[in-house]
Amino acid sequence: MSDAATGFQPLSAGELSRWIVETARPQQRPFVAVGGRTSLAYGGRVTGDPTRISLNEFTQVVDYPARDMTITVGAGISIDALDEILRTENQQLPLDVPQSQRATLGGVLACNTSGPRRFGYGTLRDYVIGLRAVDGRGREFSSGGRVVKNVAGYDLCKPLIGSLGTLAIVTEVTLKLRPRPNACGMLWMTFPGYDDVDMALEAFVSSRTRPRSLDVLSPAAAGSIGRQLGIEVPHDAPALCLGFDGLTEEVHWQIQTAQSELEHFGALATVSFESHDTTAFWNASTEFGVCNDGALTCCTAVRPSGVLELLETCDRLQASSIAYAGNGIVISEAPESVVSAEDGRRFIEQLESAAEPFQGRTLVIECDPAWAGELSELAVPAAVRSLGGRIKQALDPDQLLAPGRIQYDLCTPHSTASENH
Amino acid sequence: MAELIDQFQEILGAERVLFDPDQLVVYECDGYVVEKKTPDVVLFPETTEEVSAIVRVCNTHDVPFVPRGAGTSLAGGCLPVGGGVMISLTRMNRILEVNLRDRYAVVEPGLVNLHLTRHLAGSGFHYAPDPSSQGACTIGGNVATNSGGPHTLKYGVTVNHVLGLQFVAPTGEVIELGGPTEPLAGPDLTGLFVGSEGTFGICTQVTVRITRDPAAHRTLLGVFDTVQQATQAISEIIGAGIVPAALEMMDQGIVEALEAAFKFGFPLDAGALLLIEVDGLEVAVDQEARQIEDLCLAQGAREVQRAGSEQERQLLWKCRKQAFGAIGRLSPSYCTQDGVVPRTRLPEILEFIEQAGQRHDIRIVNVFHAGDGNIHPILLFDERYDEQIQRVLACSHEILEKCIELGGSVSGEHGIGVEKISFMHRLFSETDLELMRDIRSAWNPDDRCSPNKMLPTAGACAQESGPQQVHPGRRAAL
């Protein structure tokens, strides 16, 4: 395969390993894995001009014992291609991924991507049971296995999830799967204000229903998502959107029950919809803020009870926003008045200030490439910088993998246990 | 040692420092009774600061230390290889915070697993990971081994319910990871710590996810003439896209003990019983239960009983969860294995277990998490006879080898501890183990924290290749 100065497309993990050992390390050439290029703005800006490692050849299904409800696939497979394969057995990887036709499994793993159904289904941490990867030293390694319960050895899958490709390049992933539900449906209710939504959510803690998604939309976001759905939905007030799935009767019962539980909190308008439109909602909610031609989109994580406060802040800043309220995640599109990196910095600071009482932190997920250098940084907690830095030094002592993506604390290079042995 | 004890007494007071040999015998082993080693001293801290101070003293004196919860480990996870200091977390057992709106609780590591769910009773929430030992095991121990239990089939294992940790690193530093706020990007170090078997430090606080109680249950007992019919039924249930909350198998051998202990009315001539539970909304559980009944009957089930009341349901679960306690009616000692195979390979591994038992003249009974493919063959013996121990170890070794051959693992939830270190070379390449050693070295550079656990020492593979040499812990302790 070509070993161009800026791009390399290995045919196998062995070839990647050899390239790292024989070329990258001797030449001290930085490199970074690229998948569908849908999350390049996450985290810090990659410094220098690293060689881009494409995993386009890693798309094969290695093993799919459907009765075991696991699958092993190449990390370069797109999320949509994976979903098509799983659909044939009526199974799913229940993750919501923006731009799923381009986003790759390896990229999703690197960013720990999730969306509205995170509330009911969890994240990749709950589905990755094994993987194969190549570290910054060129070592091919595996972790986990192909069985759904396995505690042998350290689970190296976990630190790779969310590591933005800074610790190793994942080449193959084994996933635990779920059955595809028979039906889904949604209840969409608007309320006079966020205080009313808050009271409804407080009471909803003891709901008889079990939603898969629990979203709150600002009026602006409700309007834009409603237009995407192509159906008439109320959108002149904050919207609480509850998504359900399961048996058809189960979905209907939950919609009716949730409505009866919540409408006396001052609901202004209510609409419910069935499977097709519910799936469309989840897609629209997942894609919110992505490729929006807007300058800046941020993701803020707070304790779930802090979400409404953050939504109010976004409204005051005239930022359209949605919240995965059950998980404390708020996605906000900065207003059109944000026209410079400095404006963007101020917007982020205001979000962080509102989030601070709720142990929150903010991540830039989309921005003008010209601003990336100033805005893109990943506020990783101190302990993660420090302990993660030690793992970084063990797996990538030359610091060639995705430099700048995460600011680890890297002390004076020291040889690892294996290098001393 | 005298100087060490003085320093510990200064930190904890005399009554929380045990060093009398007669008192230390209690701590010579955990649930893995095959290997024993007495620690030099056992300490009972009550705060994170005390744990940190203890660790710093151990470092100053170059003394190994190992944490211990309730000592229910079945793999020698608490074994103080080489002696040293044992740090018991049982006095750190408080529930510090419960937040129903944000769905989390903050607890200390010595809290008994079941006590958290009992505390939450009536709130509409519970703590989902429910190992069979949950009436005794601690949350900290669950974190160390990434414990499972019968309901992991639907609800996942411990790591799926841990949001954050506070721990004392092997250096003595207090570190906090994660918490009730969802992580954005960044490596999942909380997830890495869970299941690290005490080799990365001593957990002093855990933030756990709490889970809504199911609205309804349907608990079924499938009665089968043969184990093969029962395993085929499992395959059909999963293949139909049903994910029961729990799916447990009990064979005729264990049923004999259970019936003698609990007098439930189990049929003593059944080849296998399946305890199957579906949970969810009232509107859905009946349909799922009916589907499961039909599938079991189609595979030749003699009958499928339904628990007619909550009391009956609780009794069924009591029988399952206290099964190990009933073993005493069958033999004075037992050794249980914790292998995993893909569910579709259950028929093969169960047949192999039966044959292995015959080959080694060891009676083996089975009660296990069939839905996950996580087997627990229970080998019955008398530990007073070394010859029996050797046959048990040889038989266990063969069973775990077979699990690997069938594409599985040697531990689904009990951990590697000292018991299964020799299998790590069979599961992982030398490069895999090298990486794990590098990471352990990065977090535990002097290897004083839980030494000789989980990973074979580098270059030791030639020494650890058979059942006669599966006691690195015992060897190191001599």
Side-chain angles (χ1 to χ4, degrees):
Chain A
M1 254 309 142
S2 66
D3 181 13
T6 55
F8 175 41
Q9 190 167 294
L11 294 176
S12 67
E15 188 177 358
L16 173 60
S17 168
R18 282 191 299 278
W19 180 83
I20 294 171
V21 171
E22 295 168 5
T23 303
R25 290 194 81 191
Q27 297 179 11
Q28 288 293 287
R29 188 192 293 188
F31 55 97
V32 60
V34 290
R37 299 170 188 266
T38 57
S39 304
L40 296 179
Y42 271 58
R45 188 172 192 182
V46 178
T47 55
D49 186 21
T51 301
R52 278 141 178 82
I53 311 293
S54 165
L55 297 188
N56 283 348
E57 295 295 327
F58 292 75
T59 59
Q60 67 280 28
V61 175
V62 176
D63 191 20
Y64 184 19
R67 284 266 167 132
D68 289 330
M69 295 190 66
T70 63
I71 190 169
T72 302
V73 290
I77 193 168
S78 75
I79 297 302
D80 275 2
L82 174 62
D83 190 61
E84 248 183 75
I85 293 165
L86 300 179
R87 196 178 282 275
T88 63
E89 295 287 350
N90 205 34
Q91 294 176 347
Q92 60 167 343
L93 173 67
L95 274 190
D96 301 310
V97 176
Q99 303 179 80
S100 53
Q101 72 282 13
R102 283 171 48 204
T104 62
L105 182 58
V108 166
L109 188 151
C111 298
N112 193 20
T113 308
S114 68
R117 289 184 301 158
R118 177 177 187 148
F119 182 66
Y121 279 113
T123 63
L124 257 185
R125 184 206 236 197
D126 305 306
Y127 295 98
V128 176
I129 59 174
L131 55 77
R132 301 192 60 80
V134 182
D135 75 357
R137 291 169 55 181
R139 294 181 293 185
E140 289 182 69
F141 68 95
S142 66
S143 183
R146 296 190 185 179
V147 282
V148 300
K149 281 175 79 173
N150 189 356
V151 297
Y154 296 131
D155 185 355
L156 300 184
C157 302
K158 299 295 189 290
L160 296 187
I161 295 173
S163 64
L164 301 182
T166 57
L167 299 178
I169 294 179
V170 175
T171 56
E172 185 181 290
V173 186
T174 303
L175 300 162
K176 189 167 74 167
L177 304 170
R178 295 289 295 261
R180 211 172 271 275
N182 290 359
C184 56
M186 176 149 284
L187 177 68
W188 175 304
M189 305 175 81
T190 52
F191 291 84
Y194 291 115
D195 285 346
D196 305 285
V197 176
D198 196 36
M199 285 194 293
L201 288 178
E202 182 71 42
F204 199 68
V205 168
S206 55
S207 170
R208 288 170 292 158
T209 69
R210 301 290 186 271
R212 290 296 190 190
S213 65
L214 200 167
D215 295 358
V216 179
L217 316 183
S218 71
S224 74
I225 288 180
R227 282 189 294 279
Q228 288 179 62
L229 298 183
I231 55 175
E232 203 57 44
V233 289
H235 58 270
D236 48 358
L240 173 60
C241 303
L242 303 170
F244 306 96
D245 70 20
L247 301 174
T248 304
E249 313 90 298
E250 193 174 3
V251 170
H252 286 159
W253 181 88
Q254 292 191 87
I255 289 174
Q256 286 164 6
T257 302
Q259 182 173 347
S260 69
E261 288 174 346
L262 295 174
E263 58 195 358
H264 60 273
F265 286 96
L268 296 172
T270 301
V271 68
S272 63
F273 34 94
E274 301 287 329
S275 292
H276 173 76
D277 294 319
T278 302
T279 306
F281 172 89
W282 280 331
N283 289 339
S285 173
T286 301
E287 299 284 347
F288 181 82
V290 173
C291 285
N292 60 352
D293 294 329
L296 177 63
T297 302
C298 294
C299 175
T300 304
V302 291
R303 277 192 286 110
S305 49
V307 153
L308 284 311
E309 180 100 13
L310 209 57
L311 288 171
E312 281 183 332
T313 298
C314 287
D315 274 8
R316 279 199 300 275
L317 297 174
Q318 297 185 308
S320 181
S321 57
I322 67 170
Y324 306 144
N327 295 97
I329 305 271
V330 177
I331 314 287
S332 53
E333 294 179 350
E336 288 177 0
S337 57
V338 171
V339 295
S340 69
E342 194 184 330
D343 291 342
R345 167 62 56 203
R346 270 199 298 275
F347 176 73
I348 293 169
E349 284 169 359
Q350 286 171 299
L351 291 177
E352 288 178 337
S353 175
E356 203 259 332
F358 302 99
Q359 299 160 264
R361 56 185 80 96
T362 297
L363 171 73
V364 169
I365 56 177
E366 280 283 332
C367 75
D368 187 318
W371 306 351
E374 284 185 62
L375 296 187
S376 289
E377 63 179 55
L378 183 59
V380 175
V384 175
R385 281 205 309 276
S386 169
L387 293 175
R390 294 185 218 171
I391 296 175
K392 173 74 167 174
Q393 287 196 285
L395 271 57
D396 181 29
D398 298 339
Q399 298 166 36
L400 300 176
L401 257 173
R405 206 79 196 267
I406 295 179
Q407 297 302 323
Y408 292 108
D409 288 342
L410 296 167
C411 49
T412 307
H414 65 274
S415 53
T416 60
S418 54
E419 286 171 333
N420 279 337
H421 194 70
Chain B
M1 183 52 63
E3 185 188 341
L4 208 58
I5 289 171
D6 283 345
Q7 289 191 24
F8 290 142
Q9 287 181 334
E10 225 171 292
I11 297 168
L12 302 176
E15 71 110 19
R16 290 191 282 142
V17 178
L18 288 189
F19 53 90
D20 182 325
D22 289 341
Q23 293 176 314
L24 297 177
V25 168
V26 171
Y27 300 93
E28 67 175 358
C29 70
D30 51 31
Y32 180 60
V33 300
V34 172
E35 301 210 33
K36 297 181 169 70
K37 173 63 184 173
T38 309
D40 295 308
V41 60
V42 180
L43 307 176
F44 296 86
E46 292 176 353
T47 66
T48 301
E49 293 69 30
E50 287 178 349
V51 174
S52 174
I54 290 166
V55 168
R56 291 181 198 276
V57 168
C58 290
N59 285 332
T60 302
H61 292 270
D62 193 19
V63 170
F65 53 93
V66 61
R68 176 178 167 123
T72 55
S73 166
L74 293 168
C78 306
L79 190 71
V81 176
V85 175
M86 178 174 283
I87 304 172
S88 169
L89 285 312
T90 53
R91 295 205 184 190
M92 294 180 67
N93 60 2
R94 295 175 299 165
I95 297 170
L96 301 175
E97 182 185 354
V98 174
N99 187 321
L100 301 183
R101 172 77 184 266
D102 294 341
R103 301 185 303 149
Y104 71 88
V106 183
V107 303
E108 291 185 325
L111 178 70
V112 171
N113 174 294
L114 185 59
H115 291 185
L116 177 54
T117 287
R118 282 195 184 143
H119 180 82
L120 294 168
S123 71
F125 287 81
H126 67 288
Y127 179 59
D130 63 337
S132 298
S133 56
Q134 65 177 156
C137 66
T138 62
I139 299 288
N142 296 161
V143 167
T145 55
N146 194 14
S147 300
H151 286 85
T152 62
L153 178 56
K154 181 172 179 178
Y155 291 100
V157 291
T158 294
V159 75
N160 306 117
H161 299 270
V162 173
L163 303 175
L165 300 161
Q166 178 196 77
F167 67 97
V168 173
T171 54
E173 191 186 349
V174 178
I175 294 177
E176 304 207 356
L177 294 174
T181 302
E182 297 273 354
L184 297 175
D188 179 7
L189 300 184
T190 302
L192 175 63
F193 190 98
V194 178
S196 60
E197 302 194 33
T199 59
F200 286 159
I202 300 178
C203 178
T204 49
Q205 233 178 68
V206 191
T207 302
V208 298
R209 164 80 69 221
I210 54 178
T211 300
R212 286 298 313 276
D213 291 340
H217 302 93
R218 295 294 183 268
T219 308
L220 311 172
L221 189 71
V223 181
F224 296 83
D225 288 325
T226 68
V227 165
Q228 287 72 23
Q229 287 172 332
T231 52
Q232 193 55 41
I234 292 164
S235 188
E236 293 299 315
I237 290 166
I238 303 296
I242 300 170
V243 182
L247 206 170
E248 304 283 293
M249 182 185 282
M250 295 171 277
D251 73 0
Q252 189 171 28
I254 195 68
V255 169
E256 176 192 326
L258 290 175
E259 189 57 23
F262 300 110
K263 303 195 182 356
F264 180 83
F266 291 123
L268 293 174
D269 62 340
L273 303 181
L274 286 186
L275 175 59
I276 309 167
E277 185 160 275
V278 291
D279 70 19
L281 300 176
E282 192 68 54
V283 69
V285 289
D286 270 325
Q287 185 172 332
E288 272 199 337
R290 270 196 305 276
Q291 228 181 324
I292 290 172
E293 279 172 2
D294 292 343
L295 288 167
C296 286
L297 291 169
Q299 296 308 313
R302 213 189 271 177
E303 60 172 327
V304 181
Q305 302 173 14
R306 274 203 194 194
S309 65
E310 179 61 21
Q311 275 171 313
E312 206 174 328
R313 172 183 175 258
Q314 293 293 347
L315 181 56
L316 270 172
W317 277 111
K318 178 181 177 182
C319 292
R320 166 57 188 93
K321 291 197 172 183
Q322 297 188 8
F324 281 38
I327 303 275
R329 292 168 186 273
L330 301 179
S331 73
S333 313
Y334 72 87
C335 174
T336 186
Q337 287 304 326
D338 180 41
V340 194
V341 295
R343 327 181 157 88
T344 48
R345 311 304 292 271
L346 274 174
E348 291 163 80
I349 192 62
L350 291 173
E351 186 179 345
F352 184 85
I353 288 169
E354 186 179 352
Q355 291 166 353
Q358 288 164 359
R359 264 199 306 284
H360 294 277
D361 193 23
I362 298 281
R363 187 179 176 196
I364 303 177
V365 298
N366 293 279
V367 51
F368 62 98
H369 315 298
D372 298 313
N374 185 187
I375 58 168
H376 288 318
I378 302 167
L379 290 75
L380 307 177
F381 69 109
D382 187 333
E383 68 177 291
R384 293 171 295 179
Y385 301 98
D386 194 63
E387 172 272 331
Q388 288 192 30
I389 294 175
Q390 294 306 316
R391 282 192 282 120
V392 162
L393 292 173
C395 188
S396 296
H397 192 94
E398 282 186 22
I399 292 170
L400 293 180
E401 282 282 358
K402 189 66 177 178
C403 287
I404 297 172
E405 183 190 312
L406 294 176
S409 176
V410 299
S411 185
E413 57 189 6
H414 296 174
I416 299 296
V418 298
E419 183 201 15
K420 292 179 279 249
I421 286 180
S422 65
F423 283 97
M424 292 295 277
H425 286 290
R426 296 278 293 112
L427 279 173
F428 297 105
S429 70
E430 189 50 44
T431 304
D432 297 337
L433 294 173
E434 182 183 286
L435 250 103
M436 290 191 216
R437 280 192 287 267
D438 281 350
I439 289 174
R440 183 176 65 185
S441 170
W443 286 32
N444 184 8
D446 301 309
D447 202 27
R448 286 190 201 100
C449 184
S450 301
N452 300 108
K453 297 283 165 53
M454 188 192 251
L455 299 181
T457 48
C461 65
Q463 302 167 26
E464 295 165 329
S465 59
Q468 294 77 21
Q469 286 149 335
V470 293
H471 306 294
R474 177 185 283 175
R475 198 166 57 245
L478 292 175

